[in-house]
Amino acid sequence: MRDTDVLVIGGGPAGSTAAALLARRGHRVAVIEKARHPRFHIGESLLPANLPLFERLGVADEVRAIGMQKWGAEFVSSWDGRQQEFRFSEAWDKSMPFAYQVRRSEFDQILIRNAARAGAEVFEGTRVCAVDLGDGASPVQVQVQREDGGSESWRARFLVDASGRDTFLANRLQCKRRNRRHNSAAIFGHFGGAQRNAGEREGHITIYWFDHGWFWFIPLSDGATSVGAVVWPYYLKSRTRPVNDFLLDTIALCPPLAERLSAARLLGEAEATGNYSYRCTRSYGDNFLLLGDAYAFIDPVFSSGVMLAMKSAFAGCDAIEACLRAPSRARAALREFDRLTRHGPKQFSWFIYRVTTPTMREMFMRPRNTLRMKEALLSLLAGDIYGSTPIWRSLRAFKLVYGLLSMLHPRRSARARRLRRLNIRPAASGPMPAG
Ligand SMILES: Cc1cc2nc3c(=O)[nH]c(=O)nc-3n(C[C@H](O)[C@H](O)[C@H](O)COP(=O)(O)OP(=O)(O)OC[C@H]3O[C@@H](n4cnc5c(N)ncnc54)[C@H](O)[C@@H]3O)c2cc1C
């Protein structure tokens, strides 16, 4: 039986961030990661709000060395080719003008090595396979299995589940709920020879709307470009050809993107992933908490996943500190962690549910800064939603204008609502809708 203060399941951005912070505060920390870094992971576009977190973690220089600077985002309509650029420098707080696009294998490796440098014990190629949380007062018991077939038992005062979309603990606690208001799937790959923007716009992420969802175009610093389609489940279900061909067929449905990829070739195999929007009914217990995707996963259209995962790790460490060293403050600290963990997915979700509607497309294509609405929207897109930037009144105005515009076009809005209801239903439950 091995012993530690905090056992972390998973060495992705959430787990590695939590492990580094806790080890630095003097706790004994063990990170159990089933893969070996560097390993592939999707999710390459970061937000400006990530940068202060890198500084606090002490990895800012390493991330800068591997990252492609991302100064903004472009939204393109595949129906008429219209496009709109958003620059983070125009956000409410002008001090966070850029972010990075990163290859996740390199980025995640930086974070887990940083955790080891900070003093955490890191075990790769080792999978957590069973957990007994006990009664909350006794230590957590954890069974792990190594690649070589060997197994070990661990005892920990506190358990952190950062197992990503595997949702290790939520599956066992049966507290994971499919998001009934959203449902999508994704197909993606890396391309060589894609047409890049010039100058500072080279690192922009481009989002292309098309009939079955939207595409991302993410330029990486080594010349490769990550291209993926987030589509309604019925569309992925309609696949009859191999994944590589299906991705290329799908790209052909979006002429402005197809043009940028006309001289490009797929590097390696494309991948597809199924329905993936969920949230857990709880984010903590007396001796455990859920971080990042292990708690919730929202649609990646605003590139928020890594930022939310790291932010939940920072908040989680304060709560764990209280649980282990100041039990009288534990309950309040866990509640504060819960509040912060719910805040991010909630703020992005309002926009995610509407981003493919004609009204929202119109507002993105012709952004107005009346009542500082555009600056507030850009701050949200930058991930600046936790601090003191006073964006909330302007975001409420934005939502009000959205409502008024929807009412001005009742038939279009009713049709969009109907179509969306059809689009988000689980793939098995009916034929593909038109349009
Ligand atoms: C199609 C798609 C596109 C995306 N695009 C973006 C984007 O552009 N920008 C962005 O910010 N986010 C994006 N995301 C989301 C982003 O990938 C995640 O939000 C982010 O990786 C969450 O970090 P995490 O640490 O919570 O989980 P993960 O990064 O998934 O890390 C979890 C780790 O736990 C390990 N693990 C799992 N189970 C066990 C176990 N039983 N024992 C031991 N180890 C285990 C895994 O091997 C993994 O290393 C995207 C996601 C998808 C699906």
Side-chain angles (χ1 to χ4, degrees):
M1 181 71 80
R2 302 183 69 164
D3 217 34
T4 188
D5 292 330
V6 184
L7 188 136
V8 180
I9 310 176
S16 297
T17 300
L21 296 172
L22 288 164
R24 263 196 226 145
R25 291 183 187 192
H27 298 286
R28 292 173 304 152
V29 182
V31 182
I32 311 291
E33 165 56 55
K34 70 177 181 183
R36 284 193 178 276
H37 288 278
R39 54 100 177 90
F40 175 82
H41 204 295
I42 197 62
E44 296 128 328
S45 195
L46 306 182
L47 298 184
N50 273 110
L51 270 65
L53 305 182
F54 298 154
E55 293 285 350
R56 287 171 67 188
L57 266 184
V59 295
D61 290 342
E62 286 175 274
V63 177
R64 184 180 312 124
I66 60 151
M68 163 71 119
Q69 285 192 347
K70 167 188 171 186
W71 292 86
E74 300 169 325
F75 289 82
V76 181
S77 153
S78 74
W79 302 284
D80 55 16
R82 273 193 309 156
Q83 71 179 67
Q84 179 63 44
E85 180 191 23
F86 289 91
R87 285 195 173 244
F88 296 123
S89 58
E90 293 171 31
W92 200 298
D93 177 352
K94 319 284 183 226
S95 71
M96 297 197 291
F98 72 92
Y100 295 109
Q101 321 278 21
V102 293
R103 217 178 243 283
R104 283 288 300 274
S105 50
E106 297 172 339
F107 174 73
D108 288 19
Q109 188 174 26
I110 289 173
L111 294 185
I112 200 164
R113 297 288 170 263
N114 184 56
R117 261 198 318 267
E121 283 187 285
V122 172
F123 300 88
E124 295 178 72
T126 308
R127 173 191 294 269
V128 172
C129 48
V131 162
D132 180 354
L133 293 169
D135 58 7
S138 52
V140 181
Q141 314 261 358
V142 180
Q143 297 295 323
V144 308
Q145 184 122 41
R146 294 192 309 262
E147 274 168 343
D148 63 12
S151 59
E152 271 165 14
S153 302
W154 281 82
R155 199 167 35 209
R157 294 173 67 200
F158 207 94
L159 181 70
V160 171
D161 183 13
S163 61
R165 293 194 299 140
D166 283 25
T167 54
F168 179 88
L169 208 51
N171 293 344
R172 277 146 190 86
L173 298 174
Q174 300 189 344
C175 65
K176 179 178 169 181
R177 300 286 178 271
R178 182 172 81 78
N179 185 344
R180 295 188 181 284
R181 301 190 63 189
H182 197 70
N183 196 6
S184 52
I187 172 164
F188 47 87
H190 283 163
F191 286 79
Q195 193 183 312
R196 296 274 176 107
N197 286 331
E200 248 183 23
R201 291 176 58 235
E202 182 177 2
H204 281 15
I205 183 173
T206 312
I207 303 290
Y208 295 88
W209 282 296
F210 81 121
D211 277 338
H212 303 289
W214 57 272
F215 280 97
W216 75 74
F217 179 105
I218 299 176
L220 302 175
S221 64
D222 56 15
T225 301
S226 172
V227 176
V230 174
V231 295
W232 305 116
Y234 73 80
Y235 179 73
L236 192 61
K237 190 86 178 170
S238 73
R239 177 173 80 86
T240 50
R241 306 222 297 143
V243 181
N244 282 10
D245 297 328
F246 188 66
L247 176 59
L248 299 176
D249 294 346
T250 307
I251 289 168
L253 300 176
C254 178
L257 174 63
E259 196 180 313
R260 267 181 105 173
L261 295 176
S262 55
R265 66 187 191 292
L266 191 55
L267 308 168
E269 295 297 308
E271 285 192 35
T273 163
N275 307 346
Y276 58 78
S277 263
Y278 58 80
R279 195 165 68 83
C280 294
T281 52
R282 60 193 296 195
S283 66
Y284 70 91
D286 289 336
N287 54 6
F288 70 90
L289 44 83
L290 313 178
L291 300 183
D293 286 6
Y295 166 69
F297 184 82
I298 57 174
D299 189 286
V301 63
F302 297 123
S303 309
S304 54
V306 172
M307 191 276 292
L308 294 177
M310 292 182 67
K311 199 72 199 176
S312 74
F314 273 83
C317 287
D318 292 338
I320 295 170
E321 175 82 6
C323 291
L324 297 185
R325 293 203 173 127
S328 61
R329 286 199 299 108
R331 196 122 298 273
L334 285 166
R335 272 204 295 270
E336 175 61 6
F337 161 75
D338 185 59
R339 191 187 66 75
L340 279 168
T341 300
R342 287 170 193 274
H343 174 72
K346 187 172 161 207
Q347 300 313 322
F348 284 105
S349 291
W350 189 91
F351 290 87
I352 288 169
Y353 299 156
R354 293 162 180 84
V355 74
T356 49
T357 64
T359 303
M360 187 64 91
R361 279 203 297 269
E362 201 173 296
M363 291 181 74
F364 269 61
M365 283 302 176
R366 273 189 254 134
R368 301 251 170 86
N369 203 28
T370 320
L371 300 173
R372 303 188 72 176
M373 284 189 292
K374 182 178 175 192
E375 283 168 279
L377 177 66
L378 270 157
S379 291
L380 177 99
L381 297 183
D384 185 10
I385 54 169
Y386 292 99
S388 53
T389 314
I391 58 175
W392 305 109
R393 198 179 291 182
S394 299
L395 283 183
R396 274 199 297 278
F398 184 97
K399 292 174 184 179
L400 191 67
V401 173
Y402 175 89
L404 291 173
L405 278 176
S406 301
M407 282 196 288
L408 272 179
H409 302 279
R411 287 178 60 185
R412 184 182 80 176
S413 303
R415 184 173 181 279
R417 271 198 302 276
R418 243 188 346 265
L419 193 59
R420 199 182 138 71
R421 262 201 306 277
L422 281 173
N423 283 337
I424 64 170
R425 78 205 186 290
S429 67
M432 172 174 155

